Amino acid sequence: MNHREYIHFLNLIEKLKCNTRHSWTSSGRQESVAEHSWRLAVMAMLCADEYPDLDINKVIKMCLIHDFGEAITGDVPSFFKTEAHEADEQNAIKTLVSPLPDKYKTEFLALFEEINELKTDEAKLCKALDNMEALISHNEADISTWLPLEYEENLTYGQKNSEWSEWTQKLKETIKQDSLDKIKKEGK
């Protein structure tokens, strides 16, 4: 990849730093998609010892690229996302990686397909952590940023995706308890 192509792609994904998510930070500002993906990758790094048989580098790559499509589509919260939104994001991913050299384009598209199929343990870990990162973010944010439906969502979101491993199940339970404690503390 020449320097111009390299910079061009970085310019495309820079929108992930600009596009915000529904989540808010503890300092009271909306979180960017890039911040979510970065912390998700850190989460994968930090649980590597729990999954010695997994290719954690692959999981980290999945975490870093899983929301690339949102550079074009922006973020749609999971509780509002439709099949049409999913299709738009899939098309955006193809558009976004199209200028990349075949080596990267092929690798990224294969990773996206693996994430979507959820057949490998690496994809399952990425998806479970993705769900858990959103919940942790909500727990860190002021409860005034929560929509009414999030009081239930923060207790149930990601349950199915966390069930594939004992470690992610326990993480989900811990986060759920944090949510319950936050709701109780706020008298909601």
Side-chain angles (χ1 to χ4, degrees):
M1 176 178 338
N2 71 42
H3 294 103
R4 185 57 47 216
E5 292 169 329
Y6 184 84
I7 292 170
H8 174 69
F9 185 72
L10 293 176
N11 293 155
L12 293 173
I13 64 168
E14 185 267 346
K15 298 301 179 240
L16 295 171
K17 296 192 313 182
C18 303
N19 292 344
T20 56
R21 292 170 48 83
H22 172 66
S23 299
W24 294 76
T25 67
S26 61
S27 68
R29 66 168 178 78
Q30 278 189 279
E31 170 190 51
S32 73
V33 176
E35 290 168 313
H36 160 70
S37 297
W38 165 79
R39 187 157 77 166
L40 181 56
V42 171
M43 289 172 70
M45 281 191 324
L46 292 175
C47 70
D49 290 344
E50 302 300 327
Y51 301 98
D53 295 335
L54 268 62
D55 181 348
I56 290 296
N57 286 329
K58 183 185 212 181
V59 177
I60 292 168
K61 285 181 181 182
M62 289 175 167
C63 293
L64 288 170
I65 71 168
H66 82 287
D67 278 340
F68 266 13
E70 293 181 13
I72 295 172
T73 65
D75 177 64
V76 177
S78 61
F79 43 82
F80 293 137
K81 200 171 266 191
T82 65
E83 285 184 21
H85 290 123
E86 294 284 352
D88 288 346
E89 196 169 323
Q90 291 302 313
N91 289 331
I93 289 165
K94 291 174 187 166
T95 299
L96 189 74
V97 302
S98 66
L100 288 173
D102 286 343
K103 171 186 172 183
Y104 296 108
K105 187 179 348 182
T106 300
E107 178 186 11
F108 290 172
L109 291 174
L111 288 171
F112 284 118
E113 185 175 337
E114 188 172 337
I115 294 167
N116 288 334
E117 290 178 349
L118 284 178
K119 292 181 181 174
T120 66
D121 286 343
E122 286 82 3
K124 291 173 185 177
L125 179 58
C126 177
K127 187 65 170 178
L129 293 177
D130 182 27
N131 294 164
M132 299 308 107
E133 197 287 329
L135 296 172
I136 291 168
S137 290
H138 276 76
N139 283 339
E140 292 168 337
D142 191 280
I143 203 162
S144 67
T145 65
W146 291 22
L147 298 174
L149 65 85
E150 289 177 302
Y151 289 88
E152 181 64 27
E153 280 285 311
N154 241 54
L155 303 178
T156 60
Y157 182 68
Q159 187 64 46
K160 181 178 181 227
N161 289 324
S162 69
E163 292 174 353
W164 77 277
S165 104
E166 183 179 341
W167 191 85
T168 54
Q169 283 177 358
K170 288 182 179 177
L171 177 62
K172 170 65 178 134
E173 291 168 14
T174 303
I175 296 167
K176 181 178 180 177
Q177 187 58 56
D178 290 347
S179 297
L180 288 167
D181 292 346
K182 182 177 189 77
I183 292 167
K184 183 178 180 182
K185 179 182 174 198
E186 298 297 325
K188 301 287 183 179

